Amino acid sequence: MRMNDKKAKIKAIADYIERAMETPPEKLGDDKLYLKAAEDALENKPRVWQDTMIWLRLINRQVNHLDSLEVVNGRIAILAYMGKYGLEHSDDKSVEDLLTIFYNPTQPTVIDVEGLKDFDSYFEYPCRIEFTPAAHRKIIGRILHDKMPSEQIDFYLGIEGSSNFGYSELYPALKHVLQTTNDEHLFWTAGDVLSIIWRLLPDSNKELDGWFNKELYDIFWSRVKDNHLRLLTSENIIFNDSLSWVVNDPDCKKLNPELWKQLEKIAKDEKLGREDVSLESVFGQVCNIRTEKMSPSEKFDFVAKYYEGEELYNFFCRPETIEEAEVYLDKAEDESRFTQAECTEIVWNDDDPRRSWWLKTIRTVEMLLAEPLEPKVQEFILEYVVEWFSGICRSHNDSAMRLLWAACSGAVKQSKAREQLAEKCRELLSSQDEDTTPIDTALKLAQENIAFRSFQTDDLVKNLRKYAEMAER
């Protein structure tokens, strides 16, 4: 069916989403939610395109976990594009056909410099995209000289990273965007890519680490300096994100003693409550300050007063030492101590009240495995999981594969323990006459992630400061 009237198209796409979701939009908290997604897909907005790509990467195991809101947003976004496709194409495609069209894990669309003249057309529908190094450099030059529209920059920064172009060359463009844009979604997208760079830089290189922390502070301080002492949530997303970056900068204490003293004052309050600091990321740093001299176990118990469930374990999903990792794993294990017979009951009974405890244990371990942690810490967690495998998975192949996918998603280095975990999964699936191909696919993903992180980290160490300083000249 073809329609020319924009409002009619939006309504038709929104109706398609509602039928597929089987949930009225008001039940998700916004009665115009489906209409907004339909309009964004029809108008080709970066937000809905990126929500779709993140969701497609999840179902293709390119990312390991999304929170519930991201899953809902992604599901709505992909349905919006499916509805749009149905309106604009006469051929009938199955869901599987469309997913393959929108996301082919092995064959991305490659864009060179010549292809940039048709930039917008590549983002009409979800699509895996790679730019050639020459195309990357052309785009970066346009960004630095303010010759690229915000929406195009947003699309560009929202593509998947690859091992054919280093983040070091992209950094000056990110910095420029974060210092100049007033587009809240573009600001968020650029900050998301910047956080990847932050995670890829090795903590062992103290000189580079210190330089980069100062870079982060300078980028975001200009956005908050006139209002920072309020430490309150603003309606301005750029202010909120910037304040979060500043207070969580590892060198904040040195770079802004006044702000740090205020955070310390809040942390010393014996009647501390989350309502005392309305910006969530600031409260998290207040908790870190308050627990600075506590043991990992004491810190966990303190933070558990303010956070619970997945939110609590998300707070601790990036342990920096083996001692921290062991405490958090033990805490998770204590949440779920059942006999084999009990576990079998829990696995197959969705209404069993114990199921949430068991699933929380799986989710906690999954979150730790999926983080690209310091190699020694990551190996300890993998060894812990291998030893504890029968207790965690309870002969349940879905749980076993969840843990393996997480371990491969977070892979930083080659790991004997990861291979052992894969073999345990293979034995389990074989014993139940299940297909073991997903195990090989997961291990291939691990190799791709190791190659990506190795390439990008080496490139950042060698070239990040060089490209940053070249751009400042």
Side-chain angles (χ1 to χ4, degrees), residues 326-343:
E326 184 172 20
V327 165
Y328 307 149
L329 285 163
D330 287 346
K331 293 285 187 181
E333 185 179 5
D334 286 341
E335 291 280 355
S336 176
R337 289 188 178 277
F338 305 115
T339 66
Q340 184 68 45
E342 287 173 327
C343 292

Side-chain angles (χ1 to χ4, degrees), residues 313 329-340 342-343 346-347 354-365 384 388 390-394:
Y313 286 98
L329 285 163
D330 287 346
K331 293 285 187 181
E333 185 179 5
D334 286 341
E335 291 280 355
S336 176
R337 289 188 178 277
F338 305 115
T339 66
Q340 184 68 45
E342 287 173 327
C343 292
I346 293 168
V347 167
R354 300 166 296 178
R355 186 176 177 82
S356 62
W357 301 342
W358 177 69
L359 288 175
K360 184 163 65 174
T361 301
I362 296 291
R363 183 67 213 124
T364 300
V365 178
Y384 189 107
W388 192 31
S390 60
I392 300 173
C393 297
R394 278 79 172 202

Side-chain angles (χ1 to χ4, degrees), residues 135-179:
H136 274 295
R137 294 183 182 107
K138 187 73 172 179
I139 291 171
I140 289 169
R142 290 179 181 176
I143 294 172
L144 290 172
H145 291 91
D146 298 315
K147 293 183 177 179
M148 193 170 189
S150 291
E151 283 198 352
Q152 287 191 351
I153 300 173
D154 207 341
F155 277 122
Y156 169 66
L157 296 180
I159 65 170
E160 297 172 47
S162 69
S163 297
N164 73 341
F165 189 75
Y167 280 126
S168 62
E169 291 191 64
L170 178 61
Y171 172 69
L174 289 175
K175 182 176 180 179
H176 179 75
V177 168
L178 289 164
Q179 289 180 319

Side-chain angles (χ1 to χ4, degrees), residues 57-69:
R57 289 173 64 202
L58 174 72
I59 65 172
N60 282 279
R61 293 293 187 177
Q62 304 300 308
V63 295
N64 180 256
H65 174 68
L66 302 178
D67 64 35
S68 57
L69 180 60

Side-chain angles (χ1 to χ4, degrees), residues 199 203 319-320 322 371-379 412:
R199 297 296 309 283
D203 293 336
E320 296 181 357
I322 289 175
E371 285 293 332
L373 305 171
E374 195 279 326
K376 289 183 179 179
V377 176
Q378 189 172 79
E379 189 70 6
V412 175

Side-chain angles (χ1 to χ4, degrees), residues 262-457:
Q262 185 176 359
L263 294 171
E264 288 181 322
K265 181 180 179 181
I266 297 171
K268 290 176 182 177
D269 186 350
E270 292 298 327
K271 297 180 180 179
L272 177 66
R274 287 178 75 168
E275 68 280 359
D276 295 321
V277 181
S278 60
L279 189 59
E280 190 58 49
S281 58
V282 175
F283 184 78
Q285 183 65 300
V286 167
C287 284
N288 286 327
I289 295 170
R290 176 69 172 267
T291 59
E292 186 177 13
K293 296 182 180 179
M294 293 183 185
S295 69
S297 182
E298 290 170 333
K299 179 174 182 176
F300 185 94
D301 292 340
F302 176 85
V303 174
K305 297 175 184 177
Y306 305 101
Y307 297 86
E308 62 181 2
E310 187 166 319
E311 188 182 35
L312 172 63
Y313 286 98
N314 189 54
F315 192 100
F316 292 104
C317 69
R318 296 175 182 173
E320 296 181 357
T321 66
I322 289 175
E323 181 187 8
E324 290 176 10
E326 184 172 20
V327 165
Y328 307 149
L329 285 163
D330 287 346
K331 293 285 187 181
E333 185 179 5
D334 286 341
E335 291 280 355
S336 176
R337 289 188 178 277
F338 305 115
T339 66
Q340 184 68 45
E342 287 173 327
C343 292
T344 302
E345 292 176 12
I346 293 168
V347 167
W348 302 114
N349 183 2
D350 290 343
D351 297 325
D352 194 307
R354 300 166 296 178
R355 186 176 177 82
S356 62
W357 301 342
W358 177 69
L359 288 175
K360 184 163 65 174
T361 301
I362 296 291
R363 183 67 213 124
T364 300
V365 178
E366 199 177 13
M367 290 165 73
L368 287 165
L369 287 170
E371 285 293 332
L373 305 171
E374 195 279 326
K376 289 183 179 179
V377 176
Q378 189 172 79
E379 189 70 6
F380 170 81
I381 294 171
L382 283 163
E383 290 171 352
Y384 189 107
V385 171
V386 168
E387 183 178 349
W388 192 31
F389 184 84
S390 60
I392 300 173
C393 297
R394 278 79 172 202
S395 72
H396 190 225
N397 57 345
D398 286 345
S399 300
M401 287 306 300
R402 277 177 59 175
L403 297 182
L404 180 61
W405 279 113
C408 294
S409 178
V412 175
K413 300 284 186 182
Q414 302 296 342
S415 165
K416 181 179 178 181
R418 190 182 300 110
E419 296 288 340
Q420 291 171 338
L421 177 60
E423 283 308 304
K424 282 186 173 289
C425 289
R426 197 180 302 277
E427 291 169 7
L428 176 57
L429 267 63
S430 296
S431 71
Q432 299 179 358
D433 295 324
E434 295 283 345
D435 181 17
T436 60
T437 303
I439 295 171
D440 299 318
T441 306
L443 291 174
K444 181 181 178 183
L445 173 63
Q447 296 308 310
E448 292 171 353
N449 285 333
I450 290 168
F452 169 77
R453 288 173 178 133
S454 176
F455 168 81
Q456 293 291 354
T457 296

Side-chain angles (χ1 to χ4, degrees), residues 54-94:
I54 292 170
W55 189 83
L56 288 169
R57 289 173 64 202
L58 174 72
I59 65 172
N60 282 279
R61 293 293 187 177
Q62 304 300 308
V63 295
N64 180 256
H65 174 68
L66 302 178
D67 64 35
S68 57
L69 180 60
E70 288 174 314
V71 171
V72 171
N73 287 344
R75 173 75 173 152
I76 292 171
I78 187 66
L79 290 172
Y81 279 111
M82 288 180 174
K84 175 186 176 183
Y85 190 95
L87 291 178
E88 298 184 348
H89 295 77
S90 56
D91 56 325
D92 290 329
K93 297 285 187 183
S94 69

